Amino acid sequence: MRLEEGTGSARRQVEQSTFLEALFHGSWNGGVYGQFVRARHYVNHLRQLHVLYEAFESALPAVKDVALARVLRLPELRRASALASDLDWFCGDTRTQPFACAETRLHAERIHEVATEAPHLLLAHAYARCVQDLFTAPQRSELVVQAFELEGGRGTAFYNAVSAGELNAFQRRLATRLDEVALGELESQEVIQEARLAFRIQGLICDELARDAPGIEDSRGPFNP
């Protein structure tokens, strides 16, 4: 509850970012070219996520606290291999071409830093990923399938961790495991502050991706970097 209340403003800034709004809800003028342009920006989005999930998963073996591990090692949070699969589908042999903006590298470095110095702060990054990626997975899966005319689950492995029917149960399980972690008042405040930081860095990543996306349009009209 404190995480939800304490991150509301930062969370909404990411959710309402021009890049994500346009990517999942915007108008792309239809046609093959519009679909191609949208796919290019979508792939850039997946590449940033792949870097972040690899950083997060690489920190997990060092986590020894049982209650902390029960949150951080939720199978739904291990999405790096699913992202690699989706990138293979969209990009084929070109998937290995690196693309991580400075903000993404900063976010990954922060994950590695707290994993070493203050592992309890990984809770904040796990929570941010759940809110941004897992809670929205069922809806975004449908949007991606429609946008790129996908079939048979191809290209949407990232979203198959939580189905619409499982989402409420997953949210309850996450809340229960978060509440099981014994933190003092100062540590709790640190986790909330770290979660705000995670959302804000994600917002910066979206801003950077938008600057590289002159073709993006949303309900407010064309985005001009």
Side-chain angles (χ1 to χ4, degrees):
M1 185 182 299
R2 292 183 64 182
L3 270 170
E4 183 176 355
E5 293 175 351
T7 61
S9 177
R11 190 174 66 246
R12 285 189 293 273
Q13 287 180 353
V14 178
E15 293 168 350
Q16 297 169 6
S17 70
T18 297
F19 181 78
L20 292 182
E21 280 289 311
L23 190 63
F24 291 107
H25 304 288
S27 169
W28 291 81
N29 300 320
V32 174
Y33 180 73
Q35 189 181 59
F36 171 79
V37 173
R38 188 175 195 163
R40 182 168 67 85
H41 300 316
Y42 180 64
V43 165
N44 283 345
H45 173 59
L46 292 184
R47 281 175 168 156
Q48 310 315 300
L49 291 175
H50 190 226
V51 170
L52 297 179
Y53 274 91
E54 282 196 324
F56 180 78
E57 290 181 31
S58 70
L60 298 183
V63 177
K64 305 302 181 183
D65 180 271
V66 174
L68 194 60
R70 275 174 56 78
V71 177
L72 301 179
R73 294 178 185 170
L74 282 165
E76 292 88 351
L77 275 169
R78 300 190 179 209
R79 310 309 303 151
S81 62
L83 283 160
S85 175
D86 288 346
L87 286 166
D88 280 337
W89 169 252
F90 279 100
C91 306
D93 292 339
T94 65
R95 184 184 70 80
T96 56
Q97 295 179 1
F99 175 78
C101 66
E103 292 77 8
T104 298
R105 295 194 298 272
L106 172 66
H107 201 163
E109 288 170 6
R110 180 59 181 170
I111 291 171
H112 288 301
E113 180 182 18
V114 301
T116 301
E117 299 179 1
H120 67 286
L121 296 183
L122 287 173
L123 289 174
H125 294 275
Y127 176 75
R129 294 268 58 98
C130 285
V131 170
Q132 293 173 87
D133 304 330
L134 299 181
F135 292 0
T136 61
Q139 179 193 40
R140 288 187 177 174
S141 179
E142 292 182 7
L143 292 170
V144 170
V145 167
Q146 293 171 7
F148 303 119
E149 301 176 7
L150 303 176
E151 296 179 351
R154 293 174 294 186
T156 57
F158 177 59
Y159 302 106
N160 68 14
V162 183
S163 68
E166 298 167 335
L167 185 56
N168 287 339
F170 172 72
Q171 290 173 324
R172 290 193 297 270
R173 186 162 70 254
L174 174 67
T176 297
R177 294 194 182 187
L178 283 169
D179 288 343
E180 289 174 352
V181 181
L183 297 176
E185 180 59 26
L186 178 59
E187 289 178 322
S188 296
Q189 292 177 3
E190 290 173 344
V191 170
I192 294 168
Q193 184 62 33
E194 186 73 17
R196 291 193 193 112
L197 176 65
F199 283 115
R200 286 169 181 158
I201 298 178
Q202 188 63 46
L204 293 176
I205 292 171
C206 290
D207 289 346
E208 180 59 30
L209 293 178
R211 278 190 283 272
D212 188 46
I216 275 186
E217 296 179 5
D218 64 13
S219 58
R220 295 163 290 185
F223 174 77
N224 296 306

